[in-house]
């Protein structure tokens, strides 16, 4: 009886080896040259399958798009098993591999040659792997990789840094001389940076960073009818981000174009850079004493100066979070107000 049991176990082990599987340990994923029953898979259309020890290899094929302007995502959703999908070119070279644990979804981005045939193999990781999977090969438009090929975007745009070496160039047009705030939001990923440039690749902002689930922004002065560019980079793979662009009319930066304000009315303004100058003008309807008030909201330092024509009458300084008052005895007429200093928000008011 003991010899018979030994013989049976020996035969089972031999049969298992002949079938390409061992009782325990790593599964045999099969060779590219031995693929059978290859099924076509359409881009962006999920396909489901089952993996068992007896038929642990499922093969699929697809053809990439004719344009180079695409990234491809190989996504594997695994149910009840540790699974693996492998991407091969037509010569059998393994381009990328995605592992998905039990009840997990995993994916990776890859660049492919246009109009080329590729193969995907799905199999279990271990011999006791048994369960189902959903495989999707997605094709996503690629944002421009250089300033010259930048992708035009609206006021809001969602994109993805596919790999740590990927760079997205985006562009937007300004309709007027405005101050534009460009916000980058990290939706999901280790980190993302943005920076704004002119067409000659001169930067108009520094490079600013947003960590996972964070936002950061920069406000820049733009000229009417001009295209500006945003360079987005990420850290590691698969960083999803959103760019938001909001504009406002900038206060005039030249004395001759000073913005009219009314007595007793509070006017809010922003110095967008340390070199920015904002100009206002106010009418003194009567001879008498006037107060020029400046409230520093978040600038490190501000100056308010009052002019009659080109002649400076007087000025005051306001540190961070300060409110200062300049008292002047004026004749009837129009007076100009200059606000300058470090970038930040402020409020101005003139009253008798």
């Amino acid at each position: 009886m003991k010899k018979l049991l030994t013989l049976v176990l020996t035969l089972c082990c031999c049969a298992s080896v002949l079938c390409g599987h061992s009782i325990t340990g790593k599964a045999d994923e099969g060779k590219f040259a031995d693929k059978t029953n290859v099924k076509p898979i359409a881009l962006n259309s999920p396909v489901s399958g089952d993996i068992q020890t007896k038929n642990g290899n499922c093969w699929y094929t697809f053809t990439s798009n004719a344009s180079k302007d695409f990234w491809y995502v190989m996504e594997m959703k695994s149910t009840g098993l540790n699974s693996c999908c492998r991407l091969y070119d037509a010569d059998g070279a393994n381009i990328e591999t995605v592992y998905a644990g039990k009840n997990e979804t995993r994916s990776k981005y890859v660049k492919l040659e246009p109009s080329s045939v590729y193969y995907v193999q799905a199999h279990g990781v271990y011999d006791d792997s048994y369960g189902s999977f959903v495989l999707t090969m997605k094709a996503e438009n690629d944002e421009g990789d250089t300033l010259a090929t930048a992708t035009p975007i609206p006021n809001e745009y969602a994109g993805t840094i596919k790999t740590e070496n990927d760079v997205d160039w985006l562009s937007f047009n300004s309709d007027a001389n405005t101050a534009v705030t460009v916000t980058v939001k990290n939706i999901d990923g280790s980190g993302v940076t943005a920076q704004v440039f002119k067409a000659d690749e001169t930067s108009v902002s520094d490079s600013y960073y947003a960590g996972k689930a964070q936002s950061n922004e920069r406000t820049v002065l733009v000229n009417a009818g001009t295209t500006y560019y945003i360079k987005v980079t990420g850290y590691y793979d698969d960083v999803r981000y959103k760019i938001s662009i909001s504009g406002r009319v900038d206060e005039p930066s030249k004395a001759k174009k000073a913005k009219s304000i009314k007595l007793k009315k509070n006017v809010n303004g922003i110095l967008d850079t340390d070199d920015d100058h904002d100009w206002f003008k106010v009418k003194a309807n009567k001879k008498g004493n006037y107060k020029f008030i400046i409230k520093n909201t978040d600038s490190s330092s501000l100056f308010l100066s009052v002019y009659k024509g080109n002649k400076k009458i007087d000025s005051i300084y306001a540190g961070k979070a300060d409110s200062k008052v300049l008292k002047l005895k004026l004749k009837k007429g129009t007076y100009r107000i200059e606000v300058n200093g470090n970038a930040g928000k402020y409020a101005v008011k003139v009253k008798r």
Side-chain angles (χ1 to χ4, degrees):
M1 183 67 180
K2 186 175 180 181
K3 290 182 179 180
L4 179 60
L5 180 59
T6 302
L7 178 62
V8 171
L9 288 173
T10 302
L11 290 173
C12 287
C13 290
C14 292
S16 200
V17 171
L18 289 172
C19 291
H21 301 277
S22 59
I23 292 178
T24 60
K26 189 174 181 179
D28 178 10
E29 67 267 16
K31 296 180 181 179
F32 178 82
D34 297 334
K35 59 187 181 297
T36 58
N37 193 26
V38 181
K39 300 176 182 179
I41 180 174
L43 290 171
N44 303 310
S45 296
V47 62
S48 57
D50 293 316
I51 293 178
Q52 301 178 21
T53 301
K54 63 181 180 181
N55 59 348
N57 290 285
C58 301
W59 287 91
Y60 303 92
T61 187
F62 69 94
T63 301
S64 58
N65 289 319
S67 171
K68 289 184 177 181
D69 298 330
F70 285 92
W71 277 89
Y72 296 85
V73 188
M74 184 165 61
E75 180 183 275
M76 186 71 158
K77 181 180 180 181
S78 185
T79 303
L81 79 160
N82 296 293
S83 63
C84 174
C85 59
R86 301 175 187 272
L87 177 64
Y88 299 88
D89 64 16
D91 295 325
N94 186 193
I95 300 170
E96 189 57 89
T97 301
V98 173
Y99 292 95
K102 290 183 179 180
N103 306 316
E104 286 186 338
T105 300
R106 291 286 184 267
S107 62
K108 285 187 178 180
Y109 281 91
V110 64
K111 270 284 191 179
L112 301 178
E113 291 298 319
S115 302
S116 299
V117 176
Y118 291 89
Y119 295 86
V120 181
Q121 175 193 33
H123 64 87
V125 177
Y126 302 105
D127 265 358
D128 58 355
S129 293
Y130 178 85
S132 61
F133 65 88
V134 177
L135 171 67
T136 311
M137 285 300 307
K138 303 177 184 178
E140 294 186 2
N141 287 325
D142 184 23
E143 293 79 14
D145 294 329
T146 64
L147 183 146
T149 60
T151 301
I153 64 171
N155 292 336
E156 284 195 349
Y157 181 81
T160 305
I161 297 297
K162 280 74 175 180
T163 70
E164 61 181 321
N165 297 319
D166 186 23
V167 177
D168 288 355
W169 279 93
L170 314 171
S171 67
F172 67 92
N173 294 319
S174 58
D175 298 325
N177 293 330
T178 60
V180 169
T181 300
V182 180
T183 303
V184 59
K185 181 178 182 180
N186 187 339
I187 299 173
D188 183 31
S190 56
V192 63
T193 63
Q195 189 169 7
V196 186
F197 292 84
K198 293 180 181 179
D200 61 1
E201 295 198 35
T202 301
S203 62
V204 293
S205 82
D206 61 342
S207 178
Y208 50 106
Y209 170 85
K212 189 170 184 178
Q214 294 179 341
S215 296
N216 201 350
E217 65 183 35
R218 290 294 184 273
T219 300
V220 297
L221 300 178
V222 298
N223 298 319
T226 305
T227 301
Y228 291 84
Y229 301 84
I230 307 168
K231 180 182 180 181
V232 183
T233 56
Y235 294 82
Y236 303 106
D237 298 347
D238 197 9
V239 181
R240 292 184 295 125
Y241 65 88
K242 178 184 284 187
I243 293 290
S244 301
I245 301 172
S246 58
R248 63 175 179 78
V249 177
D250 186 34
E251 294 76 21
S253 59
K254 295 181 179 181
K256 291 182 179 180
K257 296 183 178 181
K259 177 181 178 180
S260 295
I261 63 174
K262 295 181 179 180
L263 291 172
K264 299 181 181 180
K265 185 176 180 180
N266 197 64
V267 178
N268 294 313
I270 300 175
L271 291 179
D272 297 292
T273 68
D274 292 348
D275 298 324
D276 193 13
H277 292 250
D278 291 349
W279 285 89
F280 305 92
K281 61 183 178 181
V282 64
K283 284 186 178 181
N285 298 320
K286 298 178 181 179
K287 179 181 177 180
N289 296 318
Y290 289 82
K291 294 179 180 179
F292 292 79
I293 306 167
I294 183 165
K295 182 179 180 180
N296 185 341
T297 305
D298 64 358
S299 170
S300 58
S301 64
L302 289 177
F303 295 89
L304 180 147
S305 303
V306 180
Y307 292 78
K308 179 63 176 176
N310 295 324
K311 181 181 179 181
K312 180 189 287 189
I313 300 173
D314 206 346
S315 64
I316 53 173
Y317 167 82
K320 190 168 186 178
D322 282 347
S323 290
K324 296 293 183 179
V325 180
L326 175 62
K327 297 179 181 180
L328 295 174
K329 188 173 183 177
L330 304 177
K331 295 180 180 180
K332 184 178 179 180
T334 299
Y335 294 83
R336 290 192 178 100
I337 304 165
E338 179 190 28
V339 180
N340 67 301
N342 297 120
K345 298 179 181 180
Y346 63 87
V348 170
K349 181 188 288 187
V350 182
K351 64 180 183 179
R352 290 192 64 192

